[in-house]
Amino acid sequence: MGKPKKSKRQKTMKQKQLQYQEDCYSKAPHSFVFNRGHVGKNILQLIKDLRHVMEPFTARNLKARKKNALKDFVNVAGVLNVTHFLMLSKTEIATNLRVVRIPRGPTMTFKIHNYCLCKDVISSLRKPNLEQKQFMYHPLLVMNNFGGDEMHTKLLSSMFQNMFPSINVNRVNLNTIRRCVLLSYDAETKLIEFRHYNIKIVPVGMTRGVKKLIKSTVPDMSKFDDISEYIKQGGNLSESEAELDGPENEVVLPQSISSRGNIKSTKSAIRMTELGPRLTLQLVKIEDGLCDGSVMYHDFVKKTDEELKKQKKMRDNKRNLKELRKKIQNENVRKKEAAKEEHRQKSLAGMKKDQNANEDKEDMDDADYYRQEVGEDPEPDLFSRTSSKRRASESSGPPEKKKKIDSSGPPQKKKKVDQKTTGKTKTNKVTKSDKVTKSGDKMEKVKGKRGFNRKPKGKGKKLK
């Protein structure tokens, strides 16, 4: 039996669901993480780790070449719904991270004081969580101490919030929250701590033995006579394997979660395991625009109003000069196109003029041409023959196609003239069937391919 056909309502609901998912995906902020210039192996590995953090709304296999300019990435960003660039560069002084909002800025430049790769963080853990399904959902953003009244603090907070998709608390599905990104700002040192964690929900109010039983792997109970012994002894676990849960990490679940033991309206504990990478960032400056605007904030350099006005005037002059060059370039292109079109029209007119002159020469009579060139009338018998031939050729029309000769029939011989007769010509068509042998009998036609027929031993007599 074949599969039952879906009803019209089921198809409509599926189509609406797919459309809703596509809309949500296109509205979510996407990002590019790449390097600018030569950075080294460690920074390239850090770029891969940051891409894991930004998944699934990032280009995982993006390759940045030396010849790629920033405008190349900007041109592609609009098609792929990319909203942010994370660019890492390395100088002799430090390693920098620039976070850019596409397409009109602002641009924030951070100095990376310290960083630790994912492989180093995982190697230091006793029980790392490396489940790949957790990267199918975007991380939850948690920000700490970003509530200052300063302008740069507000810009920082809005930039980081817009880098990750927003969450509706009333409609969120807790099964999709698997990871967490923590950003903590220290107002005294002006440093930002970046951390990346895995979130796990476990039930509480159970003994360690029962927790061991509800796991997917069945424990070894061959040493016990009864299951009660296993539960009373705590599942034969060591103290180092126990997790310290308390009121600070215990919550009442508003939804049921797919993991075992986590039921709605029951108490569960939230446990976090670090995934990496770790970053210690310091905000250096904020620029208005895409890496080339005016400096809105700088942590090290403080400029007076006169210097700011002078810098703005210089930037305006540079922008005006660029626009003037672009205008001149467009004008030159337009002139070249106009000259090219004029030359084309002249060439077509000359070709047409030459064609008309040739036609006039062909239409001109030979006698008129002779009269025009020599200045005298030609003799009457000079062009009579050629003119009659030309008229005949002109009146005859297009040449007829040659008729194909039927090669299937027997070949025919040409006409022969009997000089002994009264001058009349005799034509006799001689075929293979009319040929006679010396004995006087006609030769029989042998079937076969053309050119391979058997010839008689003696020469046939020709008919007169």
Side-chain angles (χ1 to χ4, degrees):
M1 284 180 67
K3 294 183 179 179
K5 294 183 178 180
K6 293 183 179 180
S7 63
K8 187 176 181 180
R9 183 175 176 276
Q10 288 176 332
K11 293 180 180 178
T12 306
M13 292 297 294
K14 186 176 181 181
Q15 189 67 24
K16 287 183 179 180
Q17 187 177 5
L18 292 174
Q19 186 66 30
Y20 175 75
Q21 291 177 358
E22 186 176 355
D23 293 341
C24 293
Y25 184 81
S26 60
K27 290 178 182 179
H30 294 65
S31 61
F32 277 170
V33 185
F34 55 94
N35 63 294
R36 301 299 294 159
H38 181 71
V39 292
K41 293 183 179 180
N42 292 333
I43 302 299
L44 291 177
Q45 185 61 40
L46 179 61
I47 289 172
K48 293 181 180 180
D49 296 343
L50 287 175
R51 288 177 183 174
H52 276 291
V53 175
M54 305 302 294
E55 282 188 5
F57 303 112
T58 188
R60 185 187 304 175
N61 299 321
L62 180 66
K63 293 183 180 180
R65 306 183 186 276
K66 291 182 180 179
K67 61 182 180 180
N68 291 132
L70 184 60
K71 63 179 181 181
D72 298 334
F73 297 99
V74 175
N75 294 334
V76 178
V79 183
L80 302 177
N81 300 321
V82 176
T83 57
H84 291 81
F85 285 172
L86 277 74
M87 301 181 292
L88 282 90
S89 59
K90 190 175 181 180
T91 62
E92 296 179 357
I93 301 174
T95 303
N96 299 322
L97 169 66
R98 282 186 291 177
V99 182
V100 185
R101 171 72 178 182
I102 301 300
R104 298 179 183 87
T107 303
M108 295 186 178
T109 304
F110 298 90
K111 179 183 177 182
I112 302 177
H113 284 269
N114 300 310
Y115 69 90
C116 186
L117 301 177
C118 288
K119 59 180 181 180
D120 300 326
V121 174
I122 291 172
S123 63
S124 63
L125 299 176
R126 185 171 59 88
K127 290 183 178 180
N129 192 338
L130 303 178
E131 185 183 5
Q132 292 300 319
K133 288 184 179 180
Q134 62 186 342
F135 296 103
M136 294 174 60
Y137 309 101
H138 63 87
L140 178 68
L141 178 64
V142 179
M143 302 178 69
N144 185 28
N145 294 333
F146 280 89
D149 296 333
E150 298 177 352
M151 182 267 296
H152 67 277
T153 309
K154 293 181 180 179
L155 281 175
L156 271 177
S157 126
S158 62
M159 176 68 82
F160 286 129
Q161 286 176 359
N162 293 325
M163 284 175 59
F164 298 94
S166 59
I167 294 175
N168 189 350
V169 181
N170 298 322
R171 299 180 59 181
V172 66
N173 185 7
L174 296 181
N175 290 312
T176 61
I177 300 177
R178 302 289 187 89
R179 293 181 296 132
C180 170
V181 172
L182 175 62
L183 293 172
S184 179
Y185 178 69
D186 190 352
E188 295 180 0
T189 58
K190 296 183 179 179
L191 297 179
I192 302 171
E193 297 292 337
F194 179 95
R195 298 292 185 269
H196 183 213
Y197 295 97
N198 166 263
I199 299 175
K200 186 179 180 181
I201 308 296
V202 295
V204 295
M206 302 179 184
T207 61
R208 288 179 292 173
V210 176
K211 290 180 182 179
K212 193 83 172 178
L213 284 175
I214 63 176
K215 289 185 178 179
S216 57
T217 56
V218 180
D220 184 14
M221 294 184 289
S222 58
K223 299 179 181 179
F224 303 100
D225 297 332
D226 191 25
I227 193 172
S228 58
E229 298 179 7
Y230 174 80
I231 295 174
K232 287 179 181 179
Q233 293 184 10
N236 211 16
L237 298 174
S238 61
E239 291 296 330
S240 61
E241 292 180 283
E243 297 288 348
L244 300 176
D245 297 330
E248 64 277 358
N249 66 334
E250 292 180 356
V251 294
V252 177
L253 295 178
Q255 300 176 10
S256 296
I257 298 179
S258 58
S259 57
R260 295 187 179 185
N262 297 308
I263 307 171
K264 183 179 179 180
S265 301
T266 59
K267 188 177 289 188
S268 298
I270 300 174
R271 295 177 185 171
M272 301 175 68
T273 307
E274 190 171 2
L275 297 173
R278 298 176 186 173
L279 294 171
T280 303
L281 307 173
Q282 180 184 5
L283 180 64
V284 177
K285 65 178 179 179
I286 301 175
E287 296 177 84
D288 184 16
L290 195 64
C291 299
D292 59 352
S294 60
V295 178
M296 304 168 62
Y297 169 80
H298 205 291
D299 193 23
F300 303 131
V301 180
K302 304 295 181 181
K303 292 187 178 182
T304 60
D305 295 339
E306 294 181 358
E307 292 176 345
L308 291 175
K309 288 180 180 179
K310 186 177 180 181
Q311 187 179 9
K312 184 180 179 181
K313 186 178 179 180
M314 187 185 301
R315 191 177 296 108
D316 293 340
N317 293 335
K318 187 177 180 181
R319 187 182 298 109
N320 294 334
L321 181 61
K322 185 177 180 181
E323 291 178 357
L324 180 61
R325 287 178 179 174
K326 191 173 182 180
K327 187 177 180 181
I328 294 172
Q329 186 179 7
N330 293 335
E331 186 67 21
N332 292 336
V333 171
R334 189 187 64 79
K335 287 181 180 179
K336 287 181 181 179
E337 291 293 335
K340 188 177 179 181
E341 183 65 22
E342 184 180 357
H343 178 69
R344 178 174 171 274
Q345 295 297 334
K346 286 183 179 180
S347 300
L348 291 176
M351 292 169 62
K352 191 173 182 181
K353 186 177 180 180
D354 294 341
Q355 186 177 2
N356 292 335
N358 293 333
E359 289 179 358
D360 294 341
K361 281 187 178 181
E362 290 177 359
D363 294 341
M364 188 185 300
D365 194 28
D366 292 339
D368 296 337
Y369 180 75
Y370 182 86
R371 192 178 293 108
Q372 182 180 351
E373 295 295 331
V374 180
E376 297 178 358
D377 292 336
E379 296 180 3
D381 296 336
L382 184 60
F383 297 110
S384 60
R385 187 178 300 175
T386 55
S387 60
S388 62
K389 286 182 180 179
R390 182 178 294 178
R391 292 192 196 97
S393 62
E394 289 176 357
S395 62
S396 60
E400 297 181 355
K401 292 184 179 179
K402 293 182 179 181
K403 296 182 179 180
K404 293 183 179 179
I405 301 173
D406 190 6
S407 60
S408 62
Q412 297 180 359
K413 288 197 174 182
K414 296 180 180 179
K415 297 179 181 179
K416 289 191 177 182
V417 180
D418 193 0
Q419 297 177 357
K420 296 181 180 180
T421 58
T422 58
K424 296 181 180 180
T425 58
K426 280 188 179 182
T427 57
N428 292 323
K429 296 180 180 179
V430 182
T431 60
K432 288 183 180 180
S433 59
D434 295 335
K435 289 182 181 179
V436 292
T437 58
K438 290 181 179 180
S439 61
D441 298 332
K442 291 183 178 180
M443 116 177 162
E444 295 179 357
K445 189 175 181 180
V446 182
K447 296 182 179 179
K449 293 184 179 179
R450 184 181 174 186
F452 291 90
N453 291 336
R454 189 184 303 170
K455 295 182 180 180
K457 295 181 181 180
K459 295 181 180 179
K461 295 181 181 180
K462 295 181 182 179
L463 296 178
K464 293 183 180 179

